[in-house]
Amino acid sequence: EDGNLTLPKRLMCGALAGAFATVTTYPLDTIRMRMAVDPTVRSMGQTVAVLLKEGGVKSFYRGVVPTLAGIAPYMAIELATYDLVKQKFPQEHRTKPHTGFLCGNIAALCASLCCYPLDTVRRRIQLQMAAGTTVSSAMRGIVQEEGVQGLYRGFVANAVKNLPNKGIRLSIFDAAKAAHAAGKIAYEEELQLAAESEARK
């Protein structure tokens, strides 16, 4: 908030945050994706059993490498861009909800343009019913079948959903931080006033 972090540090913090969240929740995403496309599974428990039978625990992390390769730079670019763009606004406007919303949209757009192809590859690998598909083979297959534009299939729809989502999320996050900071300051002032009042007695 005070601008002390350098750009490399901002990028590193964003990348670490994204990588940790991805590794923690990736099995749930694999289960969700499988249930959405495989009509033979009807419950989460059945999906888990099928995945375990196909390849053990590794099945739950199918496609995690391209996901990490995409989400780490995505979060790094998004969070760093958000902070840097917000700093271009006058100090009195930085905590305004519309500023956070606009900066969040800009940050999400920059990150999506850079990292969307890896997300396309991740979905292709995740939907393979058999193990063995690599990042390079999946990317090569997409380019051969659809051209480079195939790596950006669904980008517009994703942007329509993702940009406002990020704008709202980041602006509310900033508002919550500001409210927490204001509450903490008010609490400390009340404690100081109470201490001074006691000292005068």
Side-chain angles (χ1 to χ4, degrees):
E1 189 69 30
D2 58 8
N4 287 335
L5 284 180
T6 62
L7 178 59
K9 288 182 179 179
R10 291 177 191 275
L11 291 170
M12 182 181 68
C13 291
L16 289 175
F20 181 79
T22 298
V23 171
T24 303
T25 61
Y26 195 81
L28 293 173
D29 189 51
T30 300
I31 293 170
R32 176 191 64 82
M33 183 75 73
R34 185 61 176 267
M35 291 181 70
V37 301
D38 189 350
T40 65
V41 295
R42 301 184 181 277
S43 68
M44 183 176 289
Q46 186 181 5
T47 307
V48 170
V50 169
L51 288 169
L52 286 173
K53 185 177 180 180
E54 285 181 355
V57 176
K58 289 183 179 180
S59 295
F60 293 93
Y61 286 93
R62 190 178 293 159
V64 72
V65 173
T67 301
L68 285 173
I71 201 66
Y74 180 95
M75 292 298 294
I77 294 169
E78 181 186 77
L79 295 178
T81 302
Y82 179 74
D83 284 343
L84 293 173
V85 171
K86 193 168 64 171
Q87 288 178 7
K88 300 300 181 182
F89 286 81
Q91 184 67 41
E92 62 272 18
H93 291 293
R94 291 180 188 175
T95 57
K96 301 292 184 181
H98 66 271
T99 301
F101 181 78
L102 177 61
C103 294
N105 275 266
I106 294 172
L109 179 60
C110 292
S112 295
L113 284 169
C114 294
C115 303
Y116 192 82
L118 285 170
D119 190 54
T120 302
V121 172
R122 185 266 305 176
R123 289 195 303 272
R124 172 68 69 94
I125 294 175
Q126 216 171 19
L127 292 175
Q128 297 298 316
M129 298 303 182
T133 304
T134 63
V135 176
S136 58
S137 64
M139 183 172 288
R140 186 166 55 250
I142 293 171
V143 173
Q144 287 176 349
E145 293 171 11
E146 308 174 47
V148 175
Q149 64 269 25
L151 296 172
Y152 283 91
R153 172 182 282 190
F155 177 81
V156 174
N158 179 76
V160 169
K161 174 187 76 72
N162 196 39
L163 268 59
N165 177 289
K166 294 291 187 176
I168 293 170
R169 183 185 304 179
L170 290 170
S171 61
I172 291 177
F173 176 68
D174 272 354
K177 284 197 303 182
H180 174 73
K184 185 177 180 180
I185 291 171
Y187 176 70
E188 290 174 350
E189 289 176 347
E190 287 292 329
L191 288 179
Q192 185 176 358
L193 288 173
E196 290 173 356
S197 177
E198 285 293 326
R200 286 195 295 267
K201 291 181 180 180

